[in-house]
Amino acid sequence: METVAIIPARGGSKGIPGKNLKQINGRSLLQRAVEAARGSELITQVYVTSDDEAILAEAERCGARTIRRPAELANDTASSESALLHAIDEIEAGGVTLDRVVFIQCTSPFLRTADLDGLLSAMTDEGADCGLTVTSFHGFLWSPSDDGVQPVGHRKDHRPRRQDRDPVFLETGGAYVMKAEGFKAARHRFFGKVAHYVVDNASAMEIDEPLDLQIAHEIADSLETRQGIDVLPDKVSALLLDFDGVLTDDLAIVDQNGKEAVSVSRSDGMGIERLKKLTDIHVSVVSKETNPVVAARCKKLKVRCVQGLEDKVANVTAWSKEAGIPMSEIVFIGNDLNDLPLFPLVGLAVAPSDAFQPVLKSAGYILSKPGGRGAVREMCELLIEKFGSDID
């Protein structure tokens, strides 16, 4: 019996054309939803259902499985329930036995893994059949009538203080969870006993109009950067980088003679240059890759390079003692399974946004940028903001 996440993301959107692929802080709305789900240890698999080829390609890039949605279930009149029921049929046809279904909407860009875990745990603890994310609501509602507007849930002659009122919650639209069998029978997301999980105001934000996207950019610039600074160790003396998938996009071009070329980011190079100039933080590349391109790139960046490593733990711990830099003062960026043994040993283990799923789950911080496309620059700027000098 599995708990799976299903993310419906159709191609058509009249309010914001191409909405599900719009980016906030370098990550598409779809990517943010997939990553939130993939980070949960309670969710066994993530599926994206869509009629749009670009969305399906983005879903696969982010590590989700894809379900092609029929056109009749992707128009303006089709319900989310119809898309979920179709996806469940497809998943079960593949031999998966479902226990719970987590329904996630891309329109909540700041939904966190912790919110999903909290909702699933609330459903279990309360013995509920379904659940939803909510946020506290303190407004006074009014409804039109023949005699002007009338209060909803309060009296005209009594205005109690916020702390004196019974709690009321607003549905966020971010996430819902349902027992699979109950949902198939009810064909609606709410049935039986309903659990709830209260999220903060940022997690509750929904993207419906172009103005919402502008506001979300402002929130991301403030909220997500601040979170990155907050997780940094009190002292950082070294930044260690894997090569493939961190300084590159993990792809290689191979010519007819077998020679390889990789894609790197000039922005990452600038970030390293600024970090070395504005801080005393040492930068090294530690890589399993033996290709000469690693040494060539490190020479260009003027950073220490150790490649061909089968055992990164042994090498880094030995270097740590030799350099007199405690492991607790090291930030390490890795993206794949061979990086995982080093993660619990350093002060902060970091992953690019497109890292392999077990790496995302184990990382102490996930960057908003993918490998080879600004991830290293993002980390460098966080380090500069916290530890850099005023001279620039």
Side-chain angles (χ1 to χ4, degrees):
M1 301 286 282
E2 297 190 25
T3 295
V4 305
I6 300 177
I7 305 172
R10 66 188 183 92
S13 176
K14 292 182 178 178
I16 306 176
K19 176 172 64 176
N20 291 315
L21 295 180
K22 294 295 184 184
Q23 292 194 352
I24 297 173
N25 229 2
R27 291 184 292 160
S28 68
L29 296 181
L30 177 63
Q31 179 178 347
R32 287 170 170 269
V34 171
E35 288 174 355
R38 290 184 67 197
S40 173
E41 294 184 357
L42 302 177
I43 295 173
T44 53
Q45 190 54 257
V46 182
Y47 295 85
V48 172
T49 170
S50 181
D51 61 318
D52 186 271
E53 293 295 338
I55 288 175
L56 293 171
E58 171 76 347
E60 290 181 352
R61 185 189 72 79
C62 296
R65 295 186 179 180
T66 58
I67 297 171
R68 192 172 299 278
R69 197 190 317 183
E72 61 270 20
L73 299 181
N75 56 40
D76 291 338
T77 61
S79 67
S80 296
E81 277 80 359
S82 65
L84 292 172
L85 289 166
H86 172 263
I88 288 172
D89 287 344
E90 292 292 306
I91 293 168
E92 291 183 330
V96 178
T97 302
L98 295 180
D99 177 21
R100 296 185 292 185
V101 172
V102 183
F103 164 32
I104 300 174
Q105 300 200 101
C106 299
T107 47
S108 296
F110 302 113
L111 183 73
R112 305 168 302 171
T113 296
D115 299 328
L116 299 175
D117 288 342
L119 177 58
L120 285 163
S121 297
M123 182 179 173
T124 299
D125 294 344
E126 298 175 28
D129 299 290
C130 58
L132 74 160
T133 52
V134 299
T135 190
S136 297
F137 181 74
H138 303 287
F140 289 102
L141 296 176
W142 294 78
S143 176
S145 70
D146 293 337
D147 189 25
V149 291
Q150 298 296 322
V152 177
H154 61 97
R155 297 184 354 227
K156 294 179 182 178
D157 59 348
H158 182 56
R159 307 283 291 184
R161 298 176 305 167
R162 174 182 295 190
Q163 59 267 37
D164 296 332
R165 292 153 56 190
D166 292 333
V168 177
F169 302 111
L170 182 69
E171 184 176 336
T172 70
Y176 306 84
V177 60
M178 302 85 73
K179 287 184 178 179
E181 290 303 315
F183 175 65
K184 288 192 293 183
R187 305 184 75 80
H188 192 274
R189 72 192 75 173
F190 299 120
F191 53 91
K193 184 176 181 179
V194 183
H196 73 282
Y197 181 76
V198 183
V199 304
D200 60 32
N201 288 336
S203 296
M205 182 182 186
E206 286 191 277
I207 304 294
D208 292 318
E209 301 175 357
L211 179 60
D212 296 332
L213 273 176
Q214 296 179 33
I215 295 171
H217 280 292
E218 294 296 326
I219 293 174
D221 286 343
S222 173
L223 179 68
E224 295 179 345
T225 299
R226 181 57 53 191
Q227 287 177 343
I229 292 174
D230 290 345
V231 299
L232 288 173
D234 292 335
K235 183 177 181 181
V236 175
S237 298
L239 173 63
L240 305 187
L241 311 169
D242 184 28
F243 188 75
D244 287 331
V246 173
L247 279 167
T248 79
D249 59 6
D250 217 15
L251 300 175
I253 299 172
V254 183
D255 69 14
Q256 65 271 25
N257 298 315
K259 291 184 178 181
E260 291 187 5
V262 297
S263 174
V264 298
S265 166
R266 292 186 183 275
S267 179
D268 286 347
M270 176 60 73
I272 292 173
E273 181 181 333
R274 281 173 43 78
L275 182 67
K276 292 166 60 182
K277 176 183 176 183
L278 299 173
T279 74
D280 294 325
I281 296 173
H282 170 89
V283 182
S284 284
V285 169
V286 287
S287 174
K288 181 180 179 181
E289 178 58 59
T290 59
N291 194 296
V293 71
V294 181
R297 182 59 178 160
C298 290
K299 183 178 180 181
K300 173 94 172 169
L301 297 174
K302 298 179 181 179
V303 299
R304 174 177 172 270
C305 174
V306 183
Q307 62 181 122
L309 289 177
E310 292 296 333
D311 188 345
K312 291 186 180 181
V313 169
N315 179 271
V316 172
T317 53
W319 173 81
S320 171
K321 292 178 181 178
E322 179 184 341
I325 295 177
M327 295 290 285
S328 61
E329 296 178 11
I330 295 175
V331 172
F332 173 59
I333 308 180
N335 76 304
D336 216 327
L337 294 177
N338 63 315
D339 297 315
L340 284 178
L342 198 52
F343 271 32
L345 305 180
V346 297
L348 178 63
V350 180
S353 64
D354 59 343
F356 192 44
Q357 183 178 5
V359 179
L360 292 173
K361 288 184 176 182
S362 300
Y365 182 65
I366 300 174
L367 296 160
S368 67
K369 305 289 187 182
R373 286 183 282 173
V376 173
R377 177 64 178 270
E378 182 180 342
M379 189 74 250
C380 288
E381 295 300 331
L382 288 175
L383 291 168
I384 291 168
E385 183 170 349
K386 183 166 184 176
F387 302 107
S389 66
D390 295 331
I391 301 172
D392 198 342

